[in-house]
Amino acid sequence: PEDVEALLDLGKANLYVWSLTPGMVHEDDAAWRLYRLCAGEHMRPQGPSEGKIDVIAEADGLLTVDVPRLRAVNALGELMVATRPTNTPVKAGDKLAGTRVIPLVVAEDKLKKAQAAAGAAPLLTLTPFQALRAGVITTGSEGFTGRIEDKFTPVLERKMAEYGSEVVEKRKLSDEPEP
């Protein structure tokens, strides 16, 4: 009774008392189970918060999503996993996916069905990039003679540098026949 005035000041005119019934799982506990269905190596969780856990990349790499198994999990209702598209390059710290349990509690049976739909392997794979060295050969007489500026090589160098690789040699070749 001594808390009623303070609760009313917070806009809490109604309070509900809830207790977990057997066979039901709280949203945060269920979100952890969804996270474990998703996350593979080089990933970490962020959360839980209100039934949601995000899957975060711990390395630069290529994200691969097992789309058929993901769809099977999402088709169950009351829980879902939203991901970036499969075969997407990602950076360390990027959000790869978000798991979400929609009701406050979800049936244990539904989580078991999600686990069966997902299978033993993680739904997400992050293959870290390996730094490479490359050579670039630009062809065409217009570039070789300097009639036009090579705008492709600098873009390629910039994109490779984003993931730790470098262009170590550049050459221009003419496609004109030798005299």
Side-chain angles (χ1 to χ4, degrees), residues 105-121:
V105 294
V106 66
E108 172 73 30
D109 289 344
K110 182 148 306 203
L111 291 168
K112 287 180 180 177
K113 288 178 184 174
Q115 187 170 359

Side-chain angles (χ1 to χ4, degrees), residues 49-64:
S49 175
E50 299 179 350
K52 180 180 179 185
I53 295 179
D54 291 330
V55 182
I56 307 298
E58 288 191 314
D60 296 353
L62 182 69
L63 172 67
T64 307

Side-chain angles (χ1 to χ4, degrees), residues 56-61 84 89-96 126 129 161-164:
I56 307 298
E58 288 191 314
D60 296 353
R84 288 181 177 229
V90 297
K91 304 285 269 168
D94 284 352
K95 184 183 345 181
L96 306 177
L126 179 57
F129 289 135
E162 282 182 45
Y163 294 100

Side-chain angles (χ1 to χ4, degrees), residues 34 37 69-80 102 106 109-118:
L34 286 177
L37 296 180
R69 291 189 302 130
L70 174 66
R71 285 187 177 145
V73 170
N74 284 339
L76 296 171
E78 296 185 328
L79 39 96
M80 52 112 325
I102 295 144
V106 66
D109 289 344
K110 182 148 306 203
L111 291 168
K112 287 180 180 177
K113 288 178 184 174
Q115 187 170 359

Side-chain angles (χ1 to χ4, degrees), residues 14-147:
N14 297 297
L15 294 179
Y16 300 90
V17 177
W18 169 75
S19 61
L20 190 60
T21 57
M24 301 302 284
V25 179
H26 184 270
E27 63 182 351
D28 285 347
D29 296 327
W32 275 113
R33 290 172 65 175
L34 286 177
Y35 169 79
R36 286 190 291 275
L37 296 180
C38 295
E41 290 184 66
H42 315 292
M43 299 174 206
R44 65 174 171 79
Q46 183 176 317
S49 175
E50 299 179 350
K52 180 180 179 185
I53 295 179
D54 291 330
V55 182
I56 307 298
E58 288 191 314
D60 296 353
L62 182 69
L63 172 67
T64 307
V65 180
D66 190 317
V67 176
R69 291 189 302 130
L70 174 66
R71 285 187 177 145
V73 170
N74 284 339
L76 296 171
E78 296 185 328
L79 39 96
M80 52 112 325
V81 178
T83 69
R84 288 181 177 229
T86 192
N87 299 322
T88 299
V90 297
K91 304 285 269 168
D94 284 352
K95 184 183 345 181
L96 306 177
T99 67
R100 181 84 171 141
V101 178
I102 295 144
L104 179 62
V105 294
V106 66
E108 172 73 30
D109 289 344
K110 182 148 306 203
L111 291 168
K112 287 180 180 177
K113 288 178 184 174
Q115 187 170 359
L123 296 172
L124 308 178
T125 304
L126 179 57
T127 305
F129 289 135
Q130 296 179 5
L132 299 174
R133 296 173 54 207
V136 176
I137 299 173
T138 306
T139 62
S141 61
E142 64 282 299
F144 184 78
T145 60
R147 290 183 62 85

